Amino acid sequence: SKQTIPHFYLETSVNAEPMIARRNAACLRADTHRQAAPKKIAWDAFFVHAVGKALKKFDRMGLRLETDQLAPSGTDAVGVAVDHEGELHVIAIPGPTSKTPEQISDEIRAVVGKLRAGDPEARKLRPANITITNLGVGNVERFTAIINPPETSILAIGKVMPAAVVQNGKIVAQNRVSITLSVDHRTVNGRYAADFLGAIVQELESL
């Protein structure tokens, strides 16, 4: 797709402190209720939730390009790229705006578990509006991803790490994460995509 799709890229960073606080609070609640082996919310779940909400305002980002014609995807799902035994799979998470990050996290882990167990149903391709791909766990700070056609955009997520930021005139340490949006220029222009990316940032920082 890199050879045939006119990609352009937009990069920004997000204050990750609200996500970290939400993850820690979820673990604290699990400990309080003495649940066995409490698990932190998967990072991808926050982005699935935020992207789903941003798509409500910027629906052109969810269009698919098939046989040179733009068409709706017919779904509200957001895809999550998962590597399993050297193969790339995209898990489609439907209804992300009607679910909490905790629920989305459980769903992602459940499907990954089925993939690892060899469940053929989990390997079926299902349409999504946009895919997110995360290499932060691989210690990658930032990267640009290649669009997965017939989708027309993809969001790359880097490592959550401390950075120096200015707050109230003072330099402080803040956990941040770099995100890069790859877009098919035949679908939208740079300003529209930038506003979409800004909406994702707003959703992530207002958890």
Side-chain angles (χ1 to χ4, degrees):
S1 69
K2 181 66 174 176
Q3 295 177 327
T4 57
I5 295 176
H7 288 60
F8 72 90
Y9 310 97
L10 302 174
E11 180 181 325
T12 190
S13 67
V14 183
N15 178 2
E17 297 294 348
M19 288 184 279
I20 292 173
R22 182 74 172 259
R23 294 180 92 217
N24 291 339
C27 280
L28 181 60
R29 287 195 300 270
D31 287 339
T32 301
H33 292 87
R34 297 181 180 179
Q35 295 179 7
K39 294 181 179 179
K40 288 187 176 180
I41 302 170
W43 287 112
D44 290 345
F46 293 112
F47 293 91
V48 169
H49 186 71
V51 168
K53 285 197 168 185
L55 282 169
K56 294 283 189 181
K57 305 172 185 176
F58 299 92
D59 58 343
R60 284 187 63 86
M61 297 302 302
L63 293 177
R64 297 164 73 86
L65 193 58
E66 300 175 335
T67 62
D68 295 328
Q69 295 292 324
L70 286 173
S73 64
T75 179
D76 61 355
V78 173
V80 180
V82 175
D83 179 78
H84 175 60
E85 296 182 345
E87 294 184 5
L88 184 65
H89 299 269
V90 176
I91 298 171
I93 305 297
T97 60
S98 65
K99 301 170 183 174
T100 65
E102 290 86 349
Q103 291 170 326
I104 294 171
S105 178
D106 289 343
E107 189 169 345
I108 292 172
R109 287 194 170 110
V111 177
V112 170
K114 291 178 180 178
L115 276 173
R116 291 174 178 169
D119 186 341
E121 187 69 21
R123 298 176 66 91
K124 287 185 178 179
L125 294 176
R126 292 175 173 82
N129 286 289
I130 176 177
T131 293
I132 66 168
T133 175
N134 190 342
L135 291 180
V137 293
N139 207 34
V140 175
E141 295 182 8
R142 61 180 57 83
F143 69 105
T144 54
I146 298 173
I147 295 169
N148 180 32
E151 295 171 22
T152 54
S153 57
I154 188 169
L155 184 69
I157 304 164
K159 178 184 178 182
V160 175
M161 56 190 298
V165 299
V166 178
Q167 288 184 343
N168 300 321
K170 297 180 180 180
I171 298 176
V172 298
Q174 182 184 91
N175 283 295
R176 300 188 68 84
V177 56
S178 291
I179 58 175
T180 304
L181 182 67
S182 304
V183 185
D184 187 334
H185 215 328
R186 295 171 295 181
T187 311
V188 300
N189 60 28
R191 179 56 187 270
Y192 189 92
D195 289 344
F196 173 67
L197 189 61
I200 294 172
V201 173
Q202 184 178 21
E203 293 294 341
L204 291 168
E205 294 185 342
S206 61
L207 285 168

